Amino acid sequence: MDELSSNNDFEYIIVSTNKLQLSTILPSLSKSAGKANVVFFQNNWDVFTEIDKYLKPEQYFFAFPFMVGGGKEDKSIHCAISGLKYSNTPLGEKDGRTTPRVEKLSIVLDKANLKPTISNQILVWLITHYAVAAGLSAGIMSAGSASKFIENTAIIKTTMKAIREGLAICKRMGINPKTEKANRLYLLPLFISVPIAKKIYSNDALQLMFEGHINHSPAEIRQMIDDIIDSGVKYGVTTPNLAQLKSYISSNQTNKSN
């Protein structure tokens, strides 16, 4: 949308921008959301308090397009939808309640075949997913592409260890990664998790989703990596593997520019 009027007649406003764009959107939402329910449909790590400066808790809730990826080129949107068993669309209230507005959006998402799952701990889901996505995206960018990533065992191992670093930070923050099934893979021994990861990430739809993210949101990924590394410093968790992937990305970019 180009502009939003405060006398809009919307029931829901879905904010599906990347994390870096949120600060420019919140002032507009503050003035113009009206009676609509604002659904933040994006990566989030540390701006929950920022949202509260602009919107009241009863004005918004969270969801995440976990099974959808892609990117925009000119006026075309290229979209990939994962059909994997664990691919879904989590949504929920910040305080964990199941409210009528969440249930209603869940029905809409279900009609769109987006497999909604109402979460009673959506913040845990979002924060741990951010840590996983930062490490995974760093690994894929380091390899150069999603297809090269699944062939590079060394980078996959470093990626798994980088993800664990992020999840260790979550734990220090008071967020328990083990309470979300999606995180179990990354907590397994490497000799088990690496072959499983290779198999899962070779899925065609996931490959397209990964390519969409690294090609269309590299600035957001770099910010996500920095967020995790900075939080590691803050919470006393070392992040050598994520830092190593970050250095690979920097050297890749230097080589390309040369």
Side-chain angles (χ1 to χ4, degrees):
M1 292 186 65
D2 295 320
E3 57 184 62
L4 180 64
S5 168
S6 59
N7 61 356
N8 70 75
D9 195 28
F10 298 129
E11 193 168 358
Y12 295 91
I13 295 171
I14 295 176
V15 179
S16 57
T17 61
N18 72 39
K19 189 204 177 203
L20 298 177
Q21 296 164 321
L22 188 58
S23 60
T24 60
I25 293 163
L26 284 171
S28 297
L29 286 173
S30 176
K31 294 174 189 170
S32 306
K35 295 179 181 178
N37 295 296
V38 179
V39 186
F40 289 102
F41 212 51
Q42 57 184 176
N43 283 308
N44 204 328
W45 173 254
D46 56 0
V47 294
F48 300 103
T49 50
E50 187 72 12
I51 291 170
D52 284 332
K53 291 177 187 175
Y54 293 93
L55 297 171
K56 296 173 185 174
E58 61 268 22
Q59 285 183 283
Y60 70 89
F61 62 97
F62 296 97
F64 193 84
F66 186 52
M67 63 186 291
V68 182
K72 181 172 176 280
E73 288 178 17
D74 297 321
K75 293 186 178 181
S76 299
I77 293 176
H78 301 277
C79 188
I81 300 176
S82 168
L84 289 175
K85 181 180 177 182
Y86 294 109
S87 295
N88 55 24
T89 306
L91 67 160
E93 296 280 359
K94 191 176 178 181
D95 61 8
R97 291 179 303 128
T98 299
T99 56
R101 64 180 181 174
V102 168
E103 290 179 324
K104 189 167 186 178
L105 185 61
S106 178
I107 291 168
V108 173
L109 292 172
D110 189 50
K111 287 179 179 176
N113 295 322
L114 290 175
K115 290 165 60 178
T117 54
I118 296 176
S119 171
N120 61 2
Q121 52 173 19
I122 193 69
L123 296 197
V124 174
W125 195 98
L126 288 168
I127 291 169
T128 57
H129 174 75
Y130 194 97
V132 171
L136 185 55
S137 299
I140 293 166
M141 282 184 81
S142 297
S145 71
S147 57
K148 289 178 182 176
F149 174 72
I150 57 169
E151 294 170 0
N152 194 320
T153 303
I155 284 185
I156 292 176
K157 283 183 178 177
T158 305
T159 300
M160 288 296 182
K161 290 188 276 188
I163 290 171
R164 286 181 189 174
E165 291 165 358
L167 294 177
I169 294 166
C170 293
K171 200 167 182 181
R172 286 282 176 92
M173 292 164 65
I175 302 290
N176 186 357
K178 290 183 180 179
T179 61
E180 280 296 335
K181 286 182 183 178
N183 298 323
R184 290 178 186 173
L185 168 65
Y186 310 107
L187 303 171
L188 292 170
L190 289 177
F191 75 91
I192 298 173
S193 63
V194 169
I196 294 173
K198 280 188 175 185
K199 186 175 180 181
I200 292 172
Y201 299 146
S202 63
N203 175 268
D204 289 343
L206 286 187
Q207 293 260 307
L208 287 170
M209 288 162 70
F210 294 149
E211 288 294 330
H213 198 192
I214 66 171
N215 290 325
H216 295 276
S217 294
E220 182 186 38
I221 292 170
R222 284 193 288 271
Q223 181 64 57
M224 291 170 74
I225 295 167
D226 287 342
D227 284 344
I228 303 297
I229 291 172
D230 292 346
S231 294
V233 173
K234 181 179 177 181
Y235 289 96
V237 178
T238 57
T239 54
N241 292 285
L242 189 57
Q244 185 178 335
L245 293 175
K246 182 182 176 182
S247 69
Y248 286 163
I249 295 167
S250 299
S251 62
N252 284 352
Q253 288 169 339
T254 302
N255 292 336
K256 282 180 183 177
S257 60
N258 291 339

